[in-house]
Amino acid sequence: MAAWPTLAPLTADADLTAAFEVLGQKWNGIILHTLATRSTRFGELRTAVGRISTKMLADRLRGLLDAGLVTHDQLPPGPATYTLTPDGRALLPALEQIRRWAKHRTPRSPHPQMGIPMSAHTLSDATFARTVLGSGPGLALAHGAGSSVAGTYGPILEGLAAHHTVVGVDYPGSGDTPRSTTPLSLDDLADQLVAAAVAEGLDTFAVSGYSLGGPVAIRAAARHPERVTALVLTATFPYRDNRLALALPVWRRLAESGGREVLAEYLTMMALGADALEAMPAAQLQQAIGFTAASVADGTPEHAELAPRADVRDDLPHIKAPTLVISTTQDWFTSTRLHHQLADTIPGARLVEIRTGHLPMVERPEEWQRLITTFLAEHSA
């Protein structure tokens, strides 16, 4: 009987092993090949790749950045753009050969495009002034009545933008958005928020809504469920209860009167929690009133007119996005009863409490930011 021939031992090629530590990870080759055309923003890249989640894309981009195959440039005020490095471009001929092999190996079975489904509601052009900061998974911001993106989220904007592409719109009469000559519509505000995020290349994104921004965020999730990946609702309401029915007309009449100091005294009394208000020396209290008077948005009467008409109770049972309700426990504008109603009605919603009045960005900004970012980190896929 013939002896078996002696065979040389098998050895995996070390260079290929090193290469496929990068290319062997799902999506990396696709991302590199997609970036061959031009520098691309995060949202554009996610749309082009298709079925990848925002979290997975962010993770893969970090890995490719660490491997020296991709770089990114911040182009103020827009989000970062991602570009192949020379080492990344050197891989393109090999990736093209793999693509051709896959194309001719077997006939490709037809399958539907795996992009973002069409919404039932057509988006209009994004016309409101907007703020855009940061890079990474998308986060759209809906601000409160009588304020703006900067007025509501200013103290935590940089913290939010550290891990997200943040897009916020200013309602008519806030920031640089001209004041409206007609009554505001909740649907229009929601659609403008979504349209601004999409215009910045964010096909899917989380939405944070504060006070009046809460109904705006809920309506955005109800009208465009294919785009909204998570909701964070702070110091907000699903409809006008009796407390709001009393508070909002007073606010509106004071805003229409032009007496900003009296309006500021009313808002300071109503918006600050008992702990913060009582801790203020008289001089600091007067400074707070002066700051409030100077920062009142011109469109406050229209915002205060919309707030009592905002009713999203019918939307709540149909919200599919993971939702966090942040209850401001010393709030004299929106009651904790309304906060609990939101959490009890939105399927799977979670409620957390923060010991502030209506202004967590003033009283406990770091805690507020931490609640938002921790929740979004859990639900960024």
Side-chain angles (χ1 to χ4, degrees), residues 54 74 82 137 150 152 193 201 215 256 288 300 316:
T54 54
Q74 187 74 25
Y82 294 88
T152 293
L193 179 64
E256 289 174 336
T300 296
L316 302 183

Side-chain angles (χ1 to χ4, degrees), residues 122-296:
T122 302
L123 285 176
S124 57
D125 292 337
T127 59
F128 290 0
R130 59 184 181 262
T131 298
V132 184
L133 293 170
S135 62
L139 173 59
L141 304 179
H143 68 75
S147 185
S148 62
V149 174
T152 293
Y153 289 98
I156 66 171
L157 263 179
E158 288 189 6
L160 295 178
H163 301 287
H164 297 85
T165 300
V166 173
V167 179
V169 297
D170 290 323
Y171 308 153
S174 294
D176 292 328
T177 305
R179 190 170 177 179
S180 177
T181 58
T182 59
L184 301 181
S185 158
L186 193 63
D187 287 354
D188 288 346
L189 298 189
D191 286 353
Q192 278 291 317
L193 179 64
V194 173
V198 172
E200 293 298 329
L202 300 174
D203 291 303
T204 61
F205 40 85
V207 181
S208 172
Y210 163 82
S211 194
L212 177 62
V216 173
I218 291 166
R219 184 57 52 84
R223 287 172 64 83
H224 307 281
E226 75 288 352
R227 296 194 181 276
V228 177
T229 59
L231 277 178
V232 179
L233 307 172
T234 303
T236 189
F237 58 96
Y239 73 104
R240 177 201 65 189
D241 65 357
N242 284 339
R243 177 181 294 183
L244 283 171
L246 293 171
L248 291 171
V250 175
W251 184 13
R252 181 184 176 188
R253 287 197 295 271
L254 289 173
E256 289 174 336
S257 72
R260 289 201 168 201
E261 184 172 351
V262 176
L263 172 60
E265 291 174 348
Y266 171 75
L267 291 176
T268 302
M269 175 191 68
M270 291 290 293
L272 284 174
D275 291 347
L277 189 60
E278 292 307 313
M280 282 187 176
Q284 186 180 0
L285 182 59
Q286 288 305 310
Q287 288 177 349
I289 291 171
F291 176 81
T292 301
S295 59
V296 171

Side-chain angles (χ1 to χ4, degrees), residues 33-44:
H33 194 268
T34 305
L35 286 172
T37 305
R38 60 177 173 84
S39 299
T40 307
R41 293 181 296 182
F42 185 94
E44 294 178 294

Side-chain angles (χ1 to χ4, degrees), residues 367-378:
E367 183 179 352
W368 186 37
Q369 177 190 314
R370 185 168 62 253
L371 290 173
I372 296 172
T373 54
T374 299
F375 180 77
L376 294 182
E378 295 173 3

